[in-house]
Amino acid sequence: MWLVIIQLKIGIILTFFSLLFAVASLAERKILARIQNRRGPNRVGPCGLFQPIADGIKMLIKEDVVPRKADRALHFLAPIVMVAPMVLLFGILPYGGGLTLVDLEVGLLFFFAVSSVSELAVFMAGWSSANKYSVFGAMRAIAQMVSYEVPLVLVAITPVMVAGSLSLVHMVEDQAGYAIGVIPNWFVLTPWGIVGFLLLFVTSLAEANRTPFDLPEGESELVAGHLTEYSGFKYALFFMGEYFGIFAGSGLAVALFLGGGGAPLPLLQWIPPYLWFFVKLVVLVGIVIWVRASLPRMRIDQLMDLCWKGLVPLAFVNLIAAAIWHYSGGGWQGWILAGGLLVGAYLMLNRVVLRSRCSWERKYYLAKS
Amino acid sequence: MNVVLFIIAALILVGALATVCVRNLVYCALSLAATFAALGMLYLALGAEFIGWVQILVYVGAVAVLIVFVILLTAPDRMRSVGPLFSRSRILGVGVSLGVFGTIAYAVHKSGSLKGSLSMPAETDMQSIGEELLSSYLVPLEATGVLLTVALIGAVLFAREEPVEGSEESQESKD
Amino acid sequence: MTSTEEVESISEKSERLLNISMGPQHPSTHGVFRMKAVLDGETVVKLTPVFGYLHRNHEKLAERTSYLGNMPYTDRLDYFCSLTNNWAYALSVERLAGIEVPERAEYLRVITAELTRLQNHLAFLGFLLNDMGVWATVLIYGFREREKILDLFESLTGARMMCNYMRFGGCRCDVPDGWVEEAKRITDELPGVLDELEQLLTDNEIVVARTQGVGTVPGRKAINAGLTGPVLRASGVNYDVRKVDSYGVYDRFDFSVPLGSVGDCYDRFMLRLLEMRQSLNILKAALNELPSGPIINPKAKNRNLRPPAGEAYGRIESPKGELGFYLVSDKSGTPYRYRVRPPSLVNLTLLEDMCVGQKVADVVVILGSIDIILGEVDR
Amino acid sequence: MSTLQVLLTVSALLFCLGLTAALTRRSVIMILIGIELMLNAANLNFIVFWRAHGDSDPSGGFMFALFGIAVAAAEAAVGLALILLVYRHYRSTRSEDLNKLKG
């Protein structure tokens, strides 16, 4: 009996995320179009709703081109190694309300261990294509993902410290309940939580190679990075892996800082938790798309500077701030101490990181003759 | 249960064999990653959940990726290398290895204390691991922390590029 | 460092250097441009521009074509700014043949040239930001405004990009009814758009980080390399053909020339924004003062023009820099020698100096900030 | 043979494969890979013995393996940095080319 229930759950979760992938790929194009004063896809079906299906058919029947000098085995394996771990990540997200698949005691560790496998997939894709742009993109991707894993793990440790567990389900339980009857006890509503949430969001953007950190496939210099020689369904798989990565990263942010399936108001608790979870997840995915439409890409040295001189120190300070908050009991003293520490650290880091290169003030003359 | 262990053990050995014998360095590194992953699976199957995932995180996610990165940096064109695969001392090396293996295998086979079966895994929840780390294993933990920091600084110092003559600096002074 | 030393040091390091060929098929080389780049990691060590993929034999063709027949060819040089190309060519033929231009035509030329400058710079901002990876957002905002100006061109000349509007001694046709009012309306709207662009872009941290200190050209070096236009003025050199030559009726308008101080990509980008505001001033005045009268000198001969033997050089400030046409006549119906001084090509001379020592990603930004059109580079 | 013995033999085989790689392959990177394999064999031993004798010391082998992984990570980082340095100096990663003490 439990086998049936588990399979049912797996079915629901996989269907949901596959559907979300289709919807998100359409939504991304629609939202981008709206932000850019365009209409976006509107030919297939009502309002272009069937565009993902058309895209899927196109991808499936497209010729699979493999360069002659390419390493065929690795070229074939890379998309699979990309997608498989991302799918595994959905297994441990705490959807709540009985939909949670597995409550691993080492859930967070599982998350990072499995998601780090995608780095190898990127390498396999880049190297096996036998294309200089591909190798270049793969090297950038590996450097970027390895670097941003450091602040990502450091930030994810803060809620672990406060909740006292690596289990994501336990962490969501720790954020249940409401202060003064209305304000939810989410970690994001604490000084270290808001900083941690923002850091986690930024680092997951970088881990998923999204704008403004999409250097590995930066089309203006590297054509398409490690994806240059991919076409057809293999390319679609990479695309899917990237999206699944975004979903999983957003799910992690929801579980760690946004209270998982908790309702924002006690009044709204009749809505089942998994719906709340998915609503929060979809909102985060929307923000990711919004960011893509509005920010230019960073350069590789600026990316590394931001990581090692900005995010990593800030993540460490955040760890200390969380400890201070925890031991000061979380009242107004906590806000002053932890908040003051974080604001001070931010201002100092801001000076260091930003002042290094830019001189902001520029003078322009208007010559009359 | 034992069947699963044997399958994983076979995976580990096949992966390790491929790592040692394959000519292409990239294949070596990737089969090394597969070996690491299989080892992680073995730890999981043996009930060491935490170690299993740490193994995958550290070895597959970091060490294998680093090795691959260094292969890319050092031999971009020579990955499909020509020339002999093994060094001149190959016969001696294999002999030494076989000798070591024979010794260990003999000891394992003859030892009386190893005849017993595996006992049930001890209770290792995360809470107790954390408490142990910060109480009885505090000094090793701190020492490891210091070691990792020193290794980090050392690696950065080693890998840092000395400014090459005639690169940016002289370019700037030219203007 | 001399070039032999450079080669030696490059070959010495060659094992870790990566040769890549950016272009001619590449998403951000603005056409079929090619750069052979030698990279040390992410840093550019050497960069050789290769062009000629779009060579159409423009100058030789012109020597076999009548003077008037060349006019539509000039549209295809810098296909974003066909009207300024027309004007530069018409100006040099008028100097060669000694043709006067009536006042209304001069005003129309100024109006169309400044409109051309506006639409070119709007597209430039979009393409530059595209090279930084903004996924076409700014580009489409720029194109939204550019469309309005192209509509003006269409109602005036019948074509949106290949206008073929100027004639020796004036312009081809007069403005249609309501055109001036429509142009005024669009010029009144544009400052708001520019404010918006300025607000969104000039303080954007990533834009600042990507452009400040990138591809810096000192003023003297820029003069020595013969750079012109916004690229030269970004380095702080006060040189604008509109002021220096005051061809046409530019001396009647009150406008100033914006000058940068550092000469990096940020300055080049800001200068275009500032120049657009000056263009708007000129446009406003020109549209208000547009005199009545003939649009073409009735005595001017266009068909079968056989100018007296001699040579002439006419130059104007095109949106990209100094655009000049050098003509030699042997009294026949076709030019004996026809030579274009294309600002896009000349501005490219410093490309390698700008790029060496920068990162690969900067190369596309630098190329974008020079603002080239391959039709003009290769001719 | 008991399961314990089988696992220990596997560990021994893994160790010897690593040793073979370290002793016979020409590439410095392969030597490092061999060392990694040997370290992993040692870790496997710790875990197996922890499983076998967990009753007397519930966390000893476990902790040993944990520290082993941490130290091995440091070793890999420094080793790879050294290889990079050597490569820059000698333009080669073959162990036979690295036969001079002075560059």
Side-chain angles (χ1 to χ4, degrees), chain A residues 32 34-38 132-133 136 140 211-212 214-215 219-224 292-302 350 354 357-369, chain C residues 18-19 21-22 26-28 39 41-42 131-133 135-137 140-141 144 203 205-207 209-210 212 214 238 243 254 256-262 264 266-267 270 274 360-362 364:
Chain A
L32 275 182
R34 277 294 151 202
I35 292 177
Q36 299 175 347
N37 265 314
R38 299 184 283 125
K132 283 175 181 172
Y133 287 115
F136 211 132
R140 273 189 181 183
T211 325
D214 59 342
L215 292 103
E219 92 289 341
S220 54
E221 61 258 20
L222 292 189
V223 188
R292 171 174 166 182
S294 23
L295 286 183
R297 184 179 305 124
M298 296 178 86
R299 203 170 55 203
I300 186 79
D301 54 330
Q302 292 159 356
N350 207 7
L354 289 181
R357 228 166 240 273
C358 312
S359 56
W360 291 92
E361 298 298 318
R362 284 292 173 99
K363 282 220 166 66
Y364 294 96
Y365 308 97
L366 292 175
K368 268 292 172 190
S369 60
Chain C
L18 179 69
N19 286 292
S21 174
M22 296 175 84
H26 190 279
S28 54
L39 306 180
E42 287 268 350
D131 288 341
M132 289 181 217
W135 296 97
T137 306
I140 290 173
Y141 276 71
R144 183 186 64 194
D203 279 349
E205 244 166 75
I206 302 182
V207 172
R210 285 297 300 276
Q212 286 201 349
V214 171
N238 184 5
K243 288 281 187 194
D254 177 38
S256 36
V257 180
L259 296 178
S261 46
V262 182
D264 55 5
Y266 187 77
D267 273 0
M270 277 302 288
L274 295 169
V360 208
D362 292 334
V364 284

Side-chain angles (χ1 to χ4, degrees), chain A residues 69 71 73-74 104-106 109-110 112-114 116-117 119-120 123-124 127 135 139 142-143 146 164 166, chain B residues 24 26-27 30 33 49-50 53-54 56-57 60-61 64-65 68-69 72-73 76 79-80 124-127:
Chain A
K69 278 190 170 176
D71 191 312
L74 288 188
L104 267 189
E105 205 192 349
V106 290
L109 194 61
F110 171 89
F112 292 127
V114 170
S116 65
V117 174
E119 285 160 29
L120 279 177
F123 162 75
M124 284 158 75
W127 182 78
V135 177
M139 283 175 77
I142 293 172
V146 168
L166 277 172
Chain B
N24 190 328
V26 170
Y27 281 0
L30 289 177
E49 210 181 4
F50 185 67
W53 293 119
V54 166
I56 291 179
L57 178 65
V60 182
V65 171
V68 151
F69 200 70
L72 270 187
L73 280 178
M79 272 172 281
R80 299 185 177 90
T124 51
D125 60 329
M126 290 307 303
Q127 201 91 34

Side-chain angles (χ1 to χ4, degrees), chain A residues 329-342:
Chain A
W332 58 271
Q333 306 101 318
W335 270 97
I336 291 174
L337 286 172
L341 181 67
L342 284 168

Side-chain angles (χ1 to χ4, degrees), chain B residues 103-174:
Chain B
T103 317
I104 301 176
Y106 179 78
V108 167
H109 196 66
K110 286 289 166 196
S111 167
S113 64
L114 299 177
K115 291 281 190 236
S117 62
L118 295 180
S119 57
M120 281 303 291
E123 199 57 38
T124 51
D125 60 329
M126 290 307 303
Q127 201 91 34
S128 64
I129 294 175
E131 270 159 19
E132 287 243 10
L133 269 180
L134 289 180
S135 53
S136 28
Y137 293 94
L138 185 61
V139 177
L141 183 72
E142 296 291 333
T144 315
V146 172
L147 174 77
L148 283 175
T149 317
V150 171
L152 180 74
I153 297 170
V156 169
L157 276 182
F158 277 156
R160 219 175 74 136
E161 209 141 332
E162 319 91 270
V164 187
E165 293 278 323
S167 65
E168 282 176 58
E169 280 82 357
S170 59
Q171 278 288 328
E172 273 160 18
S173 62
K174 193 175 69 174

Side-chain angles (χ1 to χ4, degrees), chain C residues 208-221:
Chain C
V208 169
R210 285 297 300 276
T211 51
Q212 286 201 349
V214 171
T216 311
V217 179
R220 190 183 301 167
K221 204 170 171 183

Side-chain angles (χ1 to χ4, degrees), chain B residues 42-121:
Chain B
L42 187 60
Y43 296 164
L44 292 179
L46 285 172
E49 210 181 4
F50 185 67
I51 292 285
W53 293 119
V54 166
Q55 163 90 12
I56 291 179
L57 178 65
V58 172
Y59 276 108
V60 182
V63 173
V65 171
L66 266 185
I67 289 176
V68 151
F69 200 70
V70 169
I71 290 175
L72 270 187
L73 280 178
T74 52
D77 306 323
R78 275 187 259 130
M79 272 172 281
R80 299 185 177 90
S81 64
V82 286
L85 190 59
F86 297 105
S87 64
R88 273 162 297 185
S89 56
R90 55 187 173 275
I91 298 166
L92 187 67
V94 173
V96 167
S97 299
L98 281 178
V100 170
F101 176 69
T103 317
I104 301 176
Y106 179 78
V108 167
H109 196 66
K110 286 289 166 196
S111 167
S113 64
L114 299 177
K115 291 281 190 236
S117 62
L118 295 180
S119 57
M120 281 303 291

